[in-house]
Amino acid sequence: MASNEGTSSNVKGTILSGMRPTGRLHLGNYLGALENWVNLQQDFRCIYSIVDIHALTTLESPSDVENIQPNIHEMALDWLAAGVDPEQSIVFIQSHVPEVMTLHTLLSMVTPLGWLMRVPTFKEKVRQMDETEESVNYGLVGYPVLQTADIIIYKADTVPVGQDQLPHLELAREIVRRFNHRFGDTFPEPQARLTEAPLILGLEGQQKMSKSLDNHIDLASTPEETAQRVLTAFTDPQRLRRSDPGRPEVCNVYSLHKLFSTEEDVATVHEECTTAQRGCVDCKRHLAGSVNAFLEPLRERRRVLEEKPDYVREILLEGGRKARSIAQETIGEVYEKMGLGLPV
C-alpha cells in the first residue's frame, strides 16, 4: 500500500464523514452522499469511516452482531467502486481506532444530559425501537457524543451534512465550545458543508428510498434484479388504462428518468407519456435500462474488487493505521490539558 495520507498543499480543510455498516448501498445512498464524497476528494483532506461502534447502539438480535463484518466488507466494496480513493483519502473502520472511545468518555464529562435528550433524532429512534427514554441503552443516548469524538479526534473542520443533520452538528459544536472553554483551545468548531442532493423517493413513490422500507435499488444488483425492482415502481395513480394520458410531473418513475436517462430520452418520455403513446410498463423498462447503464462502470469496478478481498482488507487496515496515528496525537494533547498526564 502507498503511504500517501490524502494530504495536499492546496486542500481547503479536513472532511470527516461516515456511514453505519448496513451492507450494500443503494441509489439513494449514492446520490445523497457517496457521489459527493468522491467529488470532495479533489479539494479536501477526506477521512471516511465505517462507523461500526455506532451500529451497536441499536442491536436487536444476535444476528445483528453476526452481520457487522460482512456488512463492513460490502460497504467498503461500494465505496471503493464508487470512486472513494484510498490514495487520496483515509478509509477505515471506526473500531480500529480505540482512541475515539477514549475521547467519547472524556467528552461525556463535559456534556450535559439535557443536551442529549433534546436531540430530535433521539426521540425518533426511541419511538422506532418501541422503547421508553428510561429503558434505552446509554450508547443511544450518548450517540451524539461519540459522533462528536469521531469528528474532532482528527481535528476535522468540515462535515458534509444534509439539512436534517444540522442539529447533530450544532450539538458537536456546543460540546467543542464547552471543552475549549474549560481546557483551552484544542479543537476547531466543525462547520457544516450542506449537501445539495436530490430527494430520492423509493419505488412506491411516497417515502425516501430506504433499505428498511424495501423500496430501494442496490448499487450492486444485477441488471436483471434492477429491472425486476423497477417494474414494481408505482406510477401516476390516475392513469388506469394504457390509453389514458399520463402526468409525468406526479410520477416517480419520470423523476428517476430525469436523474438517469439522457435529456433526449427524458423529453421523449414526457411527450409519449402525456400523449398516451407509451405505457407505464414500457416506461419502467426504459428506466431500468438507463439505471443499468449508469451503474455498469461502478458494478464492473466492484466485480474486480470482489476478486481481491485481501486488497480491500489491507486498504481498511492501512486506513486505520493512518487514522490512529492522528488520533493518538490528539489524545495525548487532550490528556495533558485535562490533567491526566501523557497516555501510556
Side-chain angles (χ1 to χ4, degrees):
M1 292 292 299
S3 61
N4 187 313
E5 295 193 8
T7 58
S8 170
S9 59
N10 61 350
V11 294
K12 296 179 181 178
T14 299
I15 290 273
L16 186 286
S17 197
M19 293 184 190
R20 289 161 59 109
T22 56
R24 289 183 172 186
L25 300 179
H26 54 70
L27 284 175
N29 300 134
Y30 178 81
L31 295 174
L34 197 50
E35 183 179 40
N36 186 47
W37 285 15
V38 173
N39 294 333
L40 288 171
Q41 294 177 123
Q42 306 306 314
D43 299 311
F44 290 84
R45 179 186 189 226
C46 293
I47 303 175
Y48 295 134
S49 175
I50 299 177
V51 290
D52 54 341
I53 304 170
H54 283 296
L56 300 176
T57 61
T58 53
L59 291 179
E60 295 181 359
S61 69
S63 64
D64 291 340
V65 174
E66 295 169 5
N67 290 332
I68 289 176
Q69 291 305 313
N71 285 348
I72 286 172
H73 182 69
E74 292 290 337
M75 180 170 281
L77 287 174
D78 281 335
W79 284 14
L80 298 172
V84 172
D85 184 357
E87 298 296 327
Q88 292 182 289
S89 303
I90 297 177
V91 185
F92 71 106
I93 300 169
Q94 181 189 29
S95 63
H96 288 185
V97 185
E99 287 78 11
V100 76
M101 290 175 276
T102 301
L103 184 57
H104 170 218
T105 300
L106 296 175
L107 293 178
S108 71
M109 306 303 174
V110 300
T111 306
L113 181 60
W115 288 7
L116 303 177
M117 301 293 284
R118 76 176 190 228
V119 175
T121 51
F122 169 67
K123 296 184 182 297
E124 177 62 19
K125 280 288 185 184
V126 171
R127 186 191 64 78
Q128 291 175 354
M129 295 172 68
D130 196 24
E131 299 264 11
T132 66
E133 292 185 4
E134 290 75 22
S135 65
V136 297
N137 63 69
Y138 163 75
L140 185 62
V141 180
Y143 191 110
V145 185
L146 180 57
Q147 197 170 54
T148 302
D150 286 326
I151 299 167
I152 66 177
I153 200 165
Y154 308 108
K155 301 290 183 80
D157 49 38
T158 308
V159 182
V161 294
Q163 194 76 31
D164 60 329
Q165 297 168 307
L166 286 176
H168 277 269
L169 188 59
E170 183 52 38
L171 177 55
R173 289 161 53 80
E174 288 179 350
I175 294 172
V176 166
R177 285 194 289 269
R178 176 170 281 214
F179 186 96
N180 287 346
H181 177 72
R182 288 194 179 182
F183 303 107
D185 285 344
T186 307
F187 301 109
E189 288 187 31
Q191 304 297 315
R193 182 180 175 90
L194 284 174
T195 301
E196 296 297 332
L199 173 62
I200 309 300
L201 293 178
L203 295 173
E204 89 297 341
Q206 298 295 319
Q207 300 184 73
K208 186 176 179 180
M209 187 173 285
S210 166
K211 188 175 298 186
S212 63
L213 296 173
D214 195 28
N215 63 0
H216 63 293
I217 298 173
D218 283 340
L219 301 178
S221 293
T222 66
E224 294 75 21
E225 290 169 340
T226 299
Q228 290 173 358
R229 295 288 285 178
V230 171
L231 284 173
T232 69
F234 283 72
T235 54
D236 180 354
Q238 291 187 22
R239 192 177 187 196
L240 303 178
R241 292 175 295 274
R242 168 71 170 74
S243 57
D244 293 335
R247 300 175 300 160
E249 66 277 4
V250 301
C251 177
N252 190 40
V253 170
Y254 179 69
S255 70
L256 292 172
H257 268 296
K258 289 194 288 185
L259 292 170
F260 299 109
S261 297
T262 66
E263 289 187 17
E264 181 179 355
D265 282 349
V266 170
T268 300
V269 168
H270 189 281
E271 170 66 20
E272 294 185 354
C273 177
T274 54
T275 58
Q277 298 178 60
R278 173 189 295 234
C280 293
V281 172
D282 289 337
C283 193
K284 288 189 276 191
R285 286 178 177 146
H286 186 164
L287 174 62
S290 297
V291 171
N292 282 327
F294 177 85
L295 290 176
E296 179 51 33
L298 182 153
R299 288 170 173 169
E300 177 56 31
R301 290 191 293 270
R302 199 182 198 279
R303 283 191 286 269
V304 172
L305 290 165
E306 285 176 331
E307 299 298 319
K308 300 190 285 186
D310 290 342
Y311 171 72
V312 175
R313 189 178 305 112
E314 181 56 30
I315 285 174
L316 296 175
L317 290 173
E318 178 67 10
R321 286 189 283 268
K322 293 174 182 177
R324 193 171 187 194
S325 176
I326 300 169
Q328 286 173 333
E329 286 190 25
T330 302
I331 286 297
E333 183 181 358
V334 169
Y335 264 51
E336 199 166 6
K337 288 190 173 181
M338 296 186 78
L340 300 174
L342 293 176
V344 177

